[in-house]
Amino acid sequence: MSEYVLFTDTNADIHPSILDQWGVGYTNLTFRFEGEDRDYINGEMSGAEFYAKMRKGDVAKTAAANAETFKELFRPTLEAGKDVLYLAFSSGLSTTYQSSAMAAEELREEFPERKIAVVDTLAASAGQGLLVYLANEQKKAGASLEEVAKYVEDNRLHLCHWFTVDDLVYLKRGGRVSPAVAFVGGMLGIKPVLHVDDEGHLINMGKVRGRKASLQALADKYAELALDPGKDVVFISHADCIDDVETLKAMLKEKGCAEVAMVNDICPVIGSHSGPGTMAVFFLGKHR
């Protein structure tokens, strides 16, 4: 079996230092604030600093990686005689997957003896990160590149993403709620409950009144959908709201979750669209 390297991108919301420990390669996706000349790379600005700027009204813009970025990322591994398996950010939210697939097609001509596989995770944030974690566990257990790719494809539609946001203004900017809904929701303390669907799109699934109720809704979804409550791997991501993480952990425990395996910061590229105060839980479920 040929040696291969697992790759992902920073939208998986797994800290680069952890990806390095796992031996997972990655590309940094970028963002910028309106009125500034420079692009920031994920990791150059702390989450606290990024979300503080957003709370002051600064607007961040993002850009997907292009094919050249992926060719530069994969080429050293291929030149070293190793194969490549890339687990991409959802094609329902970005063109990142399409760019990586284009790069892979061009590199196959340059390295015809090497395997280059690209899998659309149809996932985002630490949902993508959880798939990367599970894929890496399969790799560590001796699974081949083809076996790991199939594992991800077989399980990606069981990867549950349940989100809530604290302020509808950021969803309004992205066109996911109307200005009127955002205004009324803000006045009444309405919080949306969202998930990522089978096509990898972020979908509004309902609304509740108040922050505590929105966190409880996430825990309720875990109780409803989890495949193996108490034994499964659960990740939480948050956008500069660590105190609410402890609240959600306690709610999940009441629903049978034995332990949250990892708590992750939501990266600026994703946080620019959802805003500070975003909270999300990820786990394998009966369906999304």
Side-chain angles (χ1 to χ4, degrees):
M1 181 174 68
S2 298
E3 188 175 355
Y4 65 98
V5 176
L6 192 62
F7 286 88
T8 190
D9 52 71
T10 47
N11 274 356
D13 284 348
I14 304 295
H15 195 276
S17 64
I18 296 176
L19 293 175
D20 288 340
Q21 291 173 18
W22 292 351
V24 174
Y26 58 91
T27 184
N28 278 294
L29 302 182
T30 62
F31 64 97
R32 66 181 300 169
F33 282 101
E34 287 185 348
E36 295 187 12
D37 292 333
R38 64 165 298 181
D39 288 331
Y40 295 92
I41 295 174
N42 275 333
E44 287 186 355
M45 179 181 288
S46 71
E49 183 181 359
F50 174 80
Y51 290 113
K53 287 174 73 69
M54 289 195 75
R55 287 185 174 105
K56 288 192 304 182
D58 291 357
V59 177
K61 299 292 186 179
T62 63
N66 59 32
E68 287 302 315
T69 296
F70 287 104
K71 288 168 71 174
E72 292 175 9
L73 177 68
F74 299 153
R75 182 173 282 110
T77 297
L78 299 169
E79 289 175 341
K82 300 176 183 178
D83 298 332
V84 165
L85 173 56
Y86 172 61
L87 305 184
F89 182 50
S90 172
S91 63
L93 297 169
S94 170
T95 59
T96 300
Y97 165 73
Q98 286 85 347
S99 294
S100 67
M102 185 183 304
E105 183 175 352
E106 294 176 12
L107 286 170
R108 288 187 192 105
E109 296 181 5
E110 187 177 343
F111 298 92
E113 74 284 3
R114 299 266 57 89
K115 297 174 184 175
I116 309 168
V118 175
V119 177
D120 183 357
T121 65
L122 299 172
S125 186
Q128 178 184 346
L130 181 49
L131 279 175
V132 172
Y133 167 80
L134 295 171
N136 193 51
E137 290 296 295
Q138 293 289 313
K139 181 176 183 287
K140 286 162 55 179
S144 68
L145 182 153
E146 293 86 356
E147 289 169 337
V148 173
K150 186 176 188 304
Y151 174 87
V152 174
E153 291 169 347
D154 288 347
N155 284 278
R156 60 188 173 183
L157 296 187
H158 290 283
L159 203 296
C160 296
H161 310 56
W162 287 93
F163 293 77
T164 188
V165 302
D166 198 40
D167 192 333
L168 288 166
V169 66
Y170 305 103
L171 294 182
K172 180 194 75 173
R173 285 178 186 167
R176 298 196 178 277
V177 299
S178 69
V181 168
F183 176 76
V184 173
M187 292 290 291
L188 299 178
I190 299 298
K191 310 296 181 184
V193 178
L194 310 100
H195 89 140
V196 173
D197 69 7
D198 286 356
E199 285 75 47
H201 301 110
L202 187 62
I203 302 296
N204 190 351
M205 297 296 289
K207 55 185 182 291
V208 295
R209 180 170 292 184
R211 179 66 164 179
K212 186 174 181 180
S214 69
L215 299 180
Q216 187 62 60
L218 304 186
D220 291 343
K221 284 298 179 183
Y222 172 81
E224 175 188 344
L225 296 172
L227 273 177
D228 196 5
K231 298 180 181 179
D232 49 1
V233 180
V234 178
F235 284 6
I236 287 175
S237 284
H238 71 100
D240 198 34
C241 51
I242 191 64
D243 290 344
D244 286 340
V245 169
E246 297 306 315
T247 300
L248 180 56
K249 279 184 177 181
M251 291 174 172
L252 289 168
K253 186 174 182 179
E254 290 178 357
K255 298 297 183 179
C257 175
E259 181 182 7
V260 173
M262 188 177 293
V263 175
N264 311 276
D265 293 327
I266 294 176
C267 73
V269 170
I270 291 178
S272 64
H273 300 285
S274 60
T278 302
M279 182 72 75
V281 62
F282 310 92
F283 54 92
L284 286 178
K286 301 165 189 173
H287 56 78
R288 284 200 165 183

